[in-house]
Amino acid sequence: MCLFAHAGSGAARPECGVPLVTPASTNPRVTAVGDCIFRMCFADPFQGEVLANYAWKKTRLPKSRPAHRSGFSLSVGLAGFFREHSRRSVETIVASQKYSGGDKDLRAQLTVIRAANPDAIFLPGYYVEAGLAAQQAAELGVHATLLGGDGFEAPQLIEIGGAALNGTFYSTHYSAESADPVSQSFVKAYRARHAVFPSDFPT
């Protein structure tokens, strides 16, 4: 028997020796707790390094400020790996802000961020927080580039953030725009059945 879980990194745990296959648990500890759990996605050390490198090499953003969700393994863990790899490049982390899960108003943190005048804001959270942060940053006149991890991937991201998300970059495990014939065949079949494009976090 195989348990196929679409759970966050903190929730993915093997139970009673039952094999667990997880498509979205990026915390590196997930596959270190036993020999019956398998990951189909990249892990946070890789994701954090790629994002930090991209921030400098592709967008030439020398200053960034991570804002992470307090007590949330995806957010805190990925923020740490991003910070670690930023130190190895020319990026400067000007400061760090925290928010609690379920927060809808991030204006207090964004006001502090605005005062630091960063080139980029790294927000390793989920799409709801990303969309709200983008909208509220635009309201406050924060013009920093928004960077995020795989939690941004959802159709609702654009619905929430709208035009305020223009110029946003995030990492993801899969893109429906891949030109690979196998991927395109899957996308065609998926759209025929569900009338939408597949994504990392279908809702």
Side-chain angles (χ1 to χ4, degrees):
M1 179 182 292
C2 178
L3 174 63
F4 189 88
H6 193 281
S9 297
R13 294 288 185 273
E15 303 256 350
C16 302
V18 177
L20 170 67
V21 179
T22 173
S25 300
T26 56
N27 189 312
R29 294 192 300 272
V30 168
T31 52
V33 295
D35 57 2
C36 60
I37 184 166
F38 305 91
R39 188 198 326 266
M40 297 169 54
C41 57
F42 50 64
D44 284 337
F46 172 79
Q47 183 175 197
E49 179 178 6
V50 168
L51 286 165
N53 289 341
Y54 185 86
W56 170 248
K57 294 179 180 178
K58 299 296 183 183
T59 60
R60 294 296 190 267
L61 301 174
K63 296 184 298 179
S64 61
R65 171 184 283 267
H68 63 269
R69 186 171 172 178
S70 179
F72 187 47
S73 60
L74 165 69
S75 187
V76 175
L78 186 51
F81 290 116
F82 179 86
R83 183 182 293 106
E84 175 185 339
H85 288 290
S86 293
R87 290 194 187 107
R88 299 176 186 175
S89 66
V90 296
E91 294 159 343
T92 300
I93 304 296
V94 294
S96 179
Q97 288 290 298
K98 295 181 180 180
Y99 61 96
S100 298
D103 283 357
K104 302 298 185 203
D105 189 344
L106 304 174
R107 291 177 181 85
Q109 293 93 329
L110 288 167
T111 298
V112 175
I113 287 171
R114 181 178 61 186
N117 192 31
D119 299 293
I121 300 171
F122 180 54
L123 178 67
Y126 280 124
Y127 58 89
V128 173
E129 299 148 355
L132 292 173
Q135 285 279 13
Q136 293 165 17
E139 294 170 10
L140 292 170
V142 180
H143 302 298
T145 297
L146 183 62
L147 302 172
D150 58 300
F152 277 34
E153 177 66 26
Q156 290 78 10
L157 176 67
I158 304 300
E159 295 174 14
I160 298 168
L165 287 161
N166 287 343
T168 294
F169 298 94
Y170 65 90
S171 59
T172 185
H173 307 286
Y174 169 77
S175 173
E177 297 179 5
S178 170
D180 183 275
V182 175
S183 177
Q184 286 303 305
S185 177
F186 166 72
V187 170
K188 182 178 179 180
Y190 189 94
R191 291 193 70 197
R193 175 173 293 189
H194 302 287
V196 295
F197 282 97
S199 70
D200 276 17
F201 297 102
T203 55

